[in-house]
Amino acid sequence: MSQSVDTDLPVTGNVIEARDLRVWYGTDRGPVRAVDGVSFDIRPGEILGLVGESGCGKSTLGRGLLGLLPDGAEMDGELRFEGQDLLALSKKELFARRGAHLGMIFQEPLTRLNPLMRVSEHFRETLRTHHQGMDKAEIDRRALEVLRQMGIPPTRYRAYPHEFSGGMRQRIMIGLALVLKPPFVVADEPTTALDVLVEAQIIRILHDLREQSDTSLLLITHNLGIIAEACDRVAVMYAGRIVEIGEARSVFAQPQHPYTRELLRSTISLSTTGLNYIPGAPPDLVEPPSGCHFHPRCPDAMSICATRAPVDRVHANGTRAECWAADRAEGLLGDLPPSDLAPLTREEISDADEA
Amino acid sequence: MASASGSLPRYIVQRLLLIIPMVWVLITMVFILLRVAPGDPVSAAVGDKLSTEALDARRAALGLDRPMLTQYFDYLGSVVQFDFGKTISDNQPITDVIKNNGGATLSLTLGAILIALLVGIPLGLVAGRRRDTGTDVVIRLFGIVSYAAPVFWTGLMLRNLVAPTGWPSYEIASPITKFQVEPVTHILILDSILAGDTDAFLDVLQHHVLPCLVLGLLLAGVLIRLVRVNLLQTLQDDYVEAARARGIPERYVVRRHAFRNALVPVITVIGLQVALALGGAVLTEATFSWPGLGTKLIDYLTARDYAAVQGIITFFAIAVVLISILVDILNAIVDPRVRY
Amino acid sequence: MFGRLLAPIRQTTGAARWILLTGLLITAIYVILALFAPWIAPYDFNQRGIDGAKFTKFAAPSGDHWFGVNDQFYDVLSRCIWGARTGLHVVALSVVLSLVIGVPLGVVSGFIGGWLDRLLVFVMDALYAFPSLLLAIVFAFLLRGPLGGGVVAAALSLTVIYIPQYFRVVRNTTVSAREATYVEAARAIGAKNGTIMRRYLFGNVIQSVPVIGTLNAADAMGTLAALGFLGLGIQPNEAAEWGYDLSRALDDPSGVWWTGFYPGMAIVLLITGLTLIGEGLNETINPTLRKRRLRKVVLPPRHTTPTTVEGEAR
């Protein structure tokens, strides 16, 4: 039975509502537009997958949601958590939400636990911070319960982090994040550093969250297989923008955006006979390509793609995507001059450019 | 897997076994170095005082006419039995020299290390916490200057400063105290406690203040920089960020995760500090006419007494090795990862 | 190679940069004093009087003698300036010697490995663990006989102490670089061991040498002063030496503070200057300590995209 999460959900019912989020970093060359206008919703108990190449900004987005950005980063837009605008809060108020309301699961489990502290001490510290006055017995009971769900036996409760393998440490981290029963958790590539078998176990655990609680999860990954396994909905990110978002099944069955299509084609399975890849390299986020950021690498690019940014639209199968080619396929671009719709001529991407 | 992480007793035994090869290397080095010098030890030390026959007799007595290798093994053999031989210039067993003067050097060094820890660690932590602020710069500068200033200069300046006040800046105690207190451990400050003589104890303590302060500041300088750098690196560690992400308040994160983890390597550093302290102690003793092994070493150096120099340096080598092993063991107690 | 070295320096923020520049400035002043001592110093380092008249012993600082006169009738200011020459001479010589012996030894040992490597590491570790001053004392003691009390003897006494530092760092860098793929590739195309060491490993290793070198120089300066203080440094009739002057100042009557203060200050400032260079370099070269210069970014006003959130029909 699902444990209820004690929050007050506002009228819209969404745990997270993001509108036009931007996260830019300052550098000597100019601002890096890591996240450049991203909007999405997450419902209670839902798992939203966020997928994209390395450097597309998904990790930045995940961290931004929790306010874990490094110095020099600026974030703006609207970010509502249970109805409240997080960006309007003071730093202190935002920090107060961490842990009990907004949880985080990091990528590198090997270094995320304090080597001088036992696992039990990690739990005690976490629980005491958020539930002052909770007695030792109750703390241990809660911790052991969540560890049991993660598959860690109670005999290991007082052990030190270095006595555990990477997969077990990640499970402890997940346990630490969940023991506070936050309504929303960001998992930033939780299995990238782990081998495939362990990865399967972890994904199973995350997937089962749905049955066990109302916790919503933003699962960031570059692995489409994980999305298919565990996520209800998926958002595809490219060069700081969400290019397609919708129900996982719909997106996989009928990808609207050429990037999504190429990503799906390049996954390898037992039936793969030839390797597909997307030519070119991820774009420079200081000066992204004009118009649609994907146009230099897009097989379906038209002239208009290089000049005007595409409009976000909901498509026939219910997914939302921003792509001129997809709009054209649905017959929406009738009033544009044919020159705009001509295929884009561009130089062959030479191998050197990929560097 | 057992709940005890690693085997502490086994680790201790491993480290203790290392003493032997390490000391052996140092002793051999000292032996070689001192034999490499031209001329022979006896004439260098007492050449002008004795006749040729007496010199030859002395040489034979010290075994200096035997082949080098025999001398070497003889020496090793006696060291193992804690017999460091006799001095040439005043014919004293070196073990006696060590016994009578080692205590003063010990109390000086320990006092200095204590001051270094009390001053260096907090300042280093503060500097690391407030990186690149005015406080940080001042503390770092203090650390650098503390180490740059030679002990004999700081000591001299302090001696000049306190001269008008009458605060003791010379020797380890007044002559009366030295006469009255019974040498049990040969560590004067301990002996005064054992004798129950409060006046004597206070007198000795007073005499310790300036030298320990001077040497302690030198050590503190190094410690400050080390602690600061460790803290800076620890603050960037992944588990610190993870703790913040769980909503642990910053002050707890800094105290429990950063400070504690940053100080663990400091224990190893204290071991290195002992080496530094011994060198500084020799200089401090010269500045304050402190009756320790350092002063004796200098006296024997001036007298060109090879045997005495060899014996005292060998003793220092053994002391350094023992302390570093001790520090390793301490480290293993504090840091569970090390025991594997 | 210089380009690679200098690039991170330009990226540093306030504190590290100032530290480096201050250190360079102080050291530069000393270098100038050392190089031009014969013209800058008012008197010679062992000059006891002028025009037949002896200086007044223990004369307090005045117009004639800015830093006063010491117990040997020497002008303290001149001794300080000449001391800079001696000090930098000895230290430069010893650092270069330590480098020239320690670095190649480290590269060879790290690259070849085997029993030679293990033996050297053991010996170097033992040397490193031993109090450096005591080692210097032993060497100075030994070299006094054959080499006299000049600059070379002093420099050699210092050289031995610092070889282990270079050796260790260089050896460890070499060992980790040795397994790198580019070295494997070089071997695959038939490069000889010597070539590999020279061309590939040396460059990597060079990075850490400046930091160690300057901190080394700072330490060596202190050790030289200590040796001088103990009477094991430069003979007083060969050159001026700050440590020696301090040893004599120890017995000066109370109230005569200038004989000890100024030579000591000279030591403190030079060592501080050298250390500042080392620390400044360390902050710039060591990536974990480096703080990137951050630019403030201002976001242009938001375009609210006329978007529909999923679930709403268009």
Side-chain angles (χ1 to χ4, degrees), chain A residues 22 28 41 74 233 314, chain C residues 295-296 300 302 308-310:
Chain A
R22 284 184 297 179
D28 287 341
D41 293 335
E74 287 292 327
R233 286 162 59 233
V314 177
Chain C
R295 302 256 187 195
K296 193 77 172 102
R302 187 175 145 183
T308 59
V309 183
E310 330 146 51

Side-chain angles (χ1 to χ4, degrees), chain B residues 204-221:
Chain B
V204 176
L205 198 64
Q206 247 198 339
H207 278 81
H208 270 75
V209 168
L210 280 185
C212 289
L213 186 65
V214 162
L215 186 55
L217 280 179
L218 178 84
L219 302 176

Side-chain angles (χ1 to χ4, degrees), chain B residues 11-25:
Chain B
Y11 183 78
I12 292 178
V13 169
Q14 279 175 359
R15 303 305 292 162
L16 286 175
L17 285 178
L18 260 187
I19 297 181
I20 300 166
M22 282 175 77
V23 171
W24 174 73
V25 167

Side-chain angles (χ1 to χ4, degrees), chain A residues 278-326:
Chain A
I278 310 175
D284 177 11
L285 292 176
V286 176
E287 283 180 26
S290 55
C292 170
H293 295 334
F294 188 57
H295 82 254
R297 300 166 80 189
C298 181
D300 304 336
M302 305 180 288
S303 303
I304 189 175
C305 300
T307 51
R308 278 168 63 184
V311 176
D312 231 350
R313 272 187 243 270
V314 177
H315 291 264
N317 63 349
T319 61
R320 193 179 101 225
E322 49 182 43
C323 176
W324 292 126

Side-chain angles (χ1 to χ4, degrees), chain A residues 39-105:
Chain A
S39 308
F40 60 91
D41 293 335
I42 302 183
R43 293 189 286 267
E46 172 173 65
I47 301 185
L48 172 67
L50 182 59
V51 70
E53 287 169 308
S54 313
C56 68
K58 49 191 202 295
S59 213
T60 308
L61 177 57
R63 279 158 173 272
L65 295 182
L66 259 84
L68 280 174
L69 296 169
D71 296 330
E74 287 292 327
M75 182 154 112
D76 93 339
E78 249 182 73
L79 177 60
R80 290 185 184 282
F81 170 69
E82 297 179 337
Q84 180 160 49
D85 186 1
L86 291 182
L87 298 180
L89 294 177
S90 69
K91 271 214 154 146
K92 213 166 94 158
E93 289 168 331
L94 179 57
F95 287 5
R97 287 203 167 31
R98 286 206 212 132
H101 300 267
L102 302 164
M104 181 94 179
I105 298 167

Side-chain angles (χ1 to χ4, degrees), chain C residues 259-278:
Chain C
T259 49
F261 180 75
Y262 290 112
M265 247 332 198
I267 302 176
V268 175
L269 286 176
L270 178 56
I271 297 183
T272 303
L274 288 168
T275 311
L276 287 177
I277 298 180

Side-chain angles (χ1 to χ4, degrees), chain B residues 304-324:
Chain B
R304 321 244 357 121
D305 188 332
Y306 282 73
V309 170
Q310 177 182 275
I312 298 181
I313 299 259
T314 308
F315 173 71
F316 276 142
I318 296 177
V320 165
V321 168
L322 277 174
I323 293 171
S324 84

